[in-house]
Amino acid sequence: PAARRALAAAVARAASRPSTRPSKPPTDAAVRAIMATLDHDDPAEPGHGGGGERLTLEADALQAAAARGHARAMYWLSQILLGKAANCDPRLGLEAEHTRDAAVAWLRAAAEHGHGAAAVRLGMCYEMGFAAAATSRAGLPFEKDADEAEKWLARGARLTDDASAQHRLGRLLLQRAIALGDPTKGREGCCWCERAARGAPEAGV
């Protein structure tokens, strides 16, 4: 969709900006404005969208909003930081890893504050061993953890009621059922895959 493409472009622009700090912190009005924008139109959340083509993401205002406990700001700040990590020159050594870790910390905070898409993305990081922004295929290696992947994917699947998240969770549960010899996980995995198929038949393919 056009809004999703515009959002990807906004994240990419923010991620490509130099990481220098401004001479002045963002004003309270700027922070409140970005919080109000995300409250009204956050394309990451079900039921929001349509105005995503006008969304502007400023990392400094986002960080200030995130520090105030705004879950959607936390999520989009994590996406910008993941983009910056992916764009880091490998010669910079640990800078990319530190940026990745900061991004995942904000992603976890957003998930803990009930942001469904953040929970799904965090679960995917643990499942795939790869941390990347939702709008990009570029990312960095990340520690795999099947227990954490299951925990966050389950939370995200419930919060978003999204068929692709449900299918991903179901597939993971079936894989773990085979690996662990756990029939309970197998039954749960089948239930999630069936639920995903009812919501979007192509998700179960």
Side-chain angles (χ1 to χ4, degrees):
R4 180 65 64 178
R5 291 195 298 271
L7 182 64
V11 171
R13 286 194 301 272
S16 64
R17 292 178 189 135
S19 58
T20 54
R21 302 297 299 174
S23 56
K24 294 182 180 180
T27 65
D28 180 68
V31 177
R32 289 178 178 276
I34 202 164
M35 290 166 67
T37 297
L38 289 173
D39 283 340
H40 175 69
D41 180 22
D42 181 1
E45 291 289 309
H48 289 262
E53 66 278 2
R54 298 186 298 275
L55 185 60
T56 300
L57 298 172
E58 294 293 341
D60 295 300
L62 272 176
Q63 185 160 350
R68 297 185 187 187
H70 194 276
R72 289 174 179 167
M74 293 175 184
Y75 175 76
W76 288 113
L77 177 60
S78 79
Q79 299 304 287
I80 288 175
L81 290 173
L82 283 171
K84 285 184 179 295
N87 290 333
C88 279
D89 190 314
R91 291 173 295 182
L92 296 177
L94 294 176
E95 181 176 339
E97 292 183 14
H98 290 161
T99 304
R100 176 205 63 195
D101 292 344
V104 174
W106 281 115
L107 194 61
R108 177 182 290 273
E112 289 174 344
H113 278 71
H115 195 287
V120 173
R121 294 303 305 179
L122 182 60
M124 290 172 64
C125 290
Y126 283 114
E127 178 198 10
M128 300 186 300
F130 187 74
T135 54
S136 173
R137 294 183 179 180
L140 280 80
F142 186 73
E143 179 184 2
K144 276 191 173 185
D145 188 318
D147 289 331
E148 287 291 293
E150 181 181 331
K151 169 186 171 181
W152 292 110
L153 284 174
R155 182 176 297 189
R158 293 187 179 96
L159 287 170
T160 63
D161 198 30
D162 178 71
S164 61
Q166 293 165 354
H167 179 251
R168 182 176 288 275
L169 172 61
R171 185 180 61 188
L172 175 64
L173 286 166
L174 290 171
Q175 291 171 344
R176 299 200 75 196
I178 295 171
L180 301 174
D182 186 339
T184 300
K185 287 190 184 297
R187 289 191 292 270
E188 291 176 355
C190 288
C191 288
W192 278 109
C193 287
E194 289 172 1
R195 182 171 174 178
R198 289 195 298 271
E202 68 275 10
V205 175

